Structures are given as C-alpha cells and as structure tokens.
Amino acid sequence: FGRAYDLAVIGAYKIGTKTFMKDTDKFPSMLKKKKIALLPSFGADRRTVKRVFKEVAQDKESRK
Amino acid sequence: MKYAYYPGCSSESTSRDQHSSSLAVAHALGIDLVEIPNWSCCGATAAHQTDRLLAASLPAANLLIAREMGLEVVVNCAACYSRLKTANHEVTTHADLRKKVGKSLGREYDGSVKVRHLLEVLLEDIGLETIQDRASHSLNGLKVASYYGCLLVRPPAVTRFDDPENPISMDRLVAAMGGESLDWPHKVECCGGGLSMTRTDVVVRLTDSIIGMARDAGADCISVACPMCQINLDLRQSDLEKKTGRQYRMPILYISQLLGLCLGIAQSELGLDKLMVSPSMVLNAVVAG
C-alpha cells in the first residue's frame, strides 16, 4: 500500500507465531477509539515505493 | 511560517490524536503545515533492520517531494523523525549509498532538505513568549514528567535534538504553560516500543520502571512526543496491573494535547477521548487565565 497497514502486519504476525489470542483484549477498545484502521490507506505514491523495493532487490542480488 | 508536513503512518491509526492535536496547535499558533502530497512510509524500524539501501531510499522518496515544495520538513513522530534524519545523514556521508539511493528513486537526492520535529519549531521558530501570549488556560501547577524516549535523542550525532542525556525541550514548554516540570531520571530510557507485540514481557517490565519512576517523582501525568512511546505506556498499563497488581492509572498525553488545552482548543480536536487511561485529572487541573 505504500503506508503501514497495522491490521495486516498484526494478522501476519499472529499467523506466523500462532499467538492468536495474545492482546485480543485490546482490540475492541482500540477499534472503538479508531487506534486501528480497518482499511488500508491508499494515498501513498505506490509506484515509487514499488520501484524502490525492486531496485533494492536487484541490489541485494548483485551483492550475492 | 510554512512547512512541509510528514504525518507518518501512525497518524492514520495509533496516533490520530497526536496528528489532530498537532494540526490544531499549529493552526492556533499560525504555523502552516502543508502535508507532503502522496507521502509514503519511511520504512520505520522494519526497513532499518532489513536493508540499508531500503532504509535510506524510503525516507528519501518523501524528502524529494519536500524538496520540490521548497520547504523544510516538519515531523511529529519521533520514529519518522529519526528515519528521515538518518537518511539525510547517510546520503551526505556515504557517496556510494547516495548514488544507489538516486538509482532506486530515479532521481538524485543530496540530503539537503532540513528535517525538524514539531517541538523544535515550537521552541525555535514560535518561541515560548508567543506561546504564553496565546495561551488562554494554565496547567496550574500540574506535575508533568516529560518523557523523550529513544528516537528523538539517539543517535545524537544524527538527530542533534537537544541534550541527548537530559533533554529539556518539553520541560520548557510545560513550565511555560504553568505546569511543574519534574526533574526525573527516566527521561530517555527505552520503553520497548518496538517490542510491544513480540516481547510483551520485556515491555511490561520497562513500562513499569518508567511509569513507576514518574509516579515516585510525583507526576500527575507523563507527556510524550513519540507515538510508539505513547501507545506503549498508555496501552500496557492494563497488562502491568494484571502482572504486578500495580494500578498506576497514569495519563500519558502528547505534549501537543497539553499545549492544545492551554491554547483553549476543544477536547474533541485534541483527541483526548482516544487515550486509554482517562486524562480527567489533567482536565480538572487546567484552569482559565
């Protein structure tokens, strides 16, 4: 998305570590206070971010 | 006074309150914050821990847009501030990296765009006298422990923010607003913000130490300027209570929220309803005049 999407990061972390129940008690209040965004932000210059990641991957490859 | 404003990703989630209170305070003080169009993530700790080129290129992409705007960059988030300043430092001190960053972005960036934290703008460009003149309310002797954390002050060679061991920027603002700024030893201790999800056990220990020290120093509340510190110290108090039985109920407010209260800005604009620990004690202390 070009900007951090907390919900996806948290979800991926929970799946990866199988800690599904950890901190779930925080979720309702954070959601209520809009401290967690349900939807990602689409305002970023995604093309540049994509280009950076591509160039960095190529740079890594060339260093191998 | 016009600046390019970099809100950072947390301004759309965990630190909406810092974002809204900072914009309100800036408006009240005549600071024109122009959001960097189509800004993207600075890479934060994740990029920093993954790849040096990535960690320099992502902030540089935003600094390039700011360069086109012809403005200095103002940042609210201490983590973004650290990453943007580090990118400037990296490209100015390492020619090979500068070349690679230029290639990754398709444009050269020389590290020349000045990056400042909003606190620096408030103190250096606006000044305490102006802030006092505009204030309609006082903190009325409220005891405030100013907590700076890691990212504003470290590494000092890069951030050059205040005194890295004993910063006083927030303390000066608190005193100017009629609060009692406490001299306490945990101003720049780490709260473990980056480990909040992964090592809650460590974070609970660190936050216990910081909040406990603030309480022992007599604090009514803690003021912060970093979204990671704020959410960590605010949100983890319930875990602390469960694990240690200690009930601090210590309000953790952004300095922009405290300042906003003194400038007479509405509580809703300052996002005070978004705090986990109720700031009612602070609200009761603030008086007109």
Side-chain angles (χ1 to χ4, degrees):
Chain A
F1 304 109
R3 291 180 191 169
Y5 179 34
D6 294 344
L7 213 54
V9 175
I10 293 166
Y13 173 75
K14 284 183 172 294
I15 291 167
T17 56
K18 296 185 175 67
T19 50
F20 300 106
M21 297 313 289
K22 191 181 170 192
D23 283 336
T24 45
D25 59 321
K26 311 277 186 301
F27 192 69
S29 57
M30 288 189 77
L31 204 58
K32 193 177 159 199
K33 289 174 187 284
K34 294 185 179 168
K35 291 235 162 190
I36 280 194
L38 280 178
L39 296 172
S41 172
F42 292 102
D45 176 4
R46 293 166 68 187
R47 199 168 11 161
T48 301
V49 175
K50 212 171 170 181
R51 180 194 165 109
V52 167
F53 273 92
K54 196 176 154 194
E55 291 286 339
V56 167
Q58 281 174 2
D59 178 69
K60 256 185 186 170
E61 206 50 46
S62 69
R63 279 185 274 137
K64 275 184 185 170
Chain B
M1 273 173 244
K2 200 172 181 179
Y3 305 88
Y5 175 55
Y6 180 77
C9 300
S10 64
S11 70
E12 297 180 328
S13 56
T14 50
S15 70
R16 280 176 195 274
D17 39 357
Q18 186 191 30
H19 178 61
S20 63
S21 58
S22 296
L23 290 182
V25 163
H27 181 70
L29 293 172
I31 304 169
D32 192 2
L33 296 179
V34 185
E35 191 168 310
I36 294 176
N38 304 115
W39 60 269
S40 49
C41 177
C42 70
T45 316
H48 171 53
Q49 288 185 337
T50 313
D51 187 275
R52 191 180 175 201
L53 177 58
L54 184 66
S57 298
L58 290 174
N62 295 291
L63 293 168
L64 266 172
I65 307 174
R67 189 175 70 181
E68 284 166 10
M69 296 165 79
L71 298 169
E72 289 182 359
V73 173
V74 168
V75 191
N76 228 347
C77 167
C80 299
Y81 173 74
S82 169
R83 293 322 312 160
L84 265 60
K85 288 204 96 164
T86 302
N88 269 347
H89 182 77
E90 287 273 85
V91 298
T92 48
T93 53
H94 297 89
D96 53 335
L97 185 69
R98 181 164 67 231
K99 216 178 270 179
K100 283 184 178 182
V101 168
K103 187 170 176 275
S104 76
L105 295 169
R107 280 182 298 170
E108 274 288 317
Y109 177 62
D110 59 2
S112 59
V113 176
K114 197 169 178 185
V115 177
R116 302 168 76 197
H117 193 275
L118 185 60
L119 263 175
E120 293 173 306
V121 171
L122 290 172
L123 288 169
E124 293 162 15
D125 298 3
I126 303 297
L128 293 176
E129 265 182 47
T130 306
I131 293 171
Q132 280 174 320
D133 285 348
R134 303 265 174 99
S136 57
H137 291 66
S138 162
L139 291 181
N140 193 30
L142 185 80
K143 291 177 178 166
V144 182
S146 296
Y147 175 67
Y148 299 80
C150 306
L151 294 164
L152 276 177
V153 293
R154 290 191 285 270
V158 172
T159 65
R160 298 181 187 281
F161 179 92
D162 207 333
D163 181 327
E165 294 298 328
N166 185 26
I168 54 165
S169 302
M170 270 192 280
D171 299 75
R172 290 174 64 204
L173 268 174
V174 166
M177 291 185 281
E180 186 183 333
S181 175
L182 298 174
D183 187 17
W184 67 306
H186 280 24
K187 280 181 168 184
V188 292
E189 292 293 303
C190 177
C191 72
L195 301 171
S196 195
M197 277 219 60
T198 53
R199 290 297 306 272
T200 313
D201 56 326
V202 173
V203 167
V204 165
R205 213 168 58 231
L206 292 171
T207 51
D208 185 24
S209 164
I210 291 163
I211 301 171
M213 183 58 79
R215 189 196 55 186
D216 291 348
D220 296 319
C221 70
I222 295 177
S223 76
V224 295
C226 169
M228 288 168 78
C229 299
Q230 198 284 333
I231 193 73
N232 210 25
L233 294 175
D234 197 14
L235 190 70
R236 292 294 169 201
Q237 287 189 49
S238 57
D239 294 304
L240 243 169
E241 200 173 317
K242 275 181 214 155
K243 289 194 178 168
T244 66
R246 284 189 276 281
Q247 295 183 353
Y248 290 118
R249 308 278 160 90
M250 179 72 75
I252 314 291
L253 281 88
Y254 288 109
I255 187 72
S256 49
Q257 291 176 315
L258 282 175
L259 185 51
L261 284 171
C262 295
L263 291 169
I265 298 168
Q267 290 177 29
S268 56
E269 256 189 282
L270 299 175
L272 293 171
D273 57 328
K274 306 214 179 302
L275 300 173
M276 296 291 167
V277 175
S278 167
S280 55
M281 193 195 182
V282 176
L283 299 176
N284 292 337
V286 175
V287 291

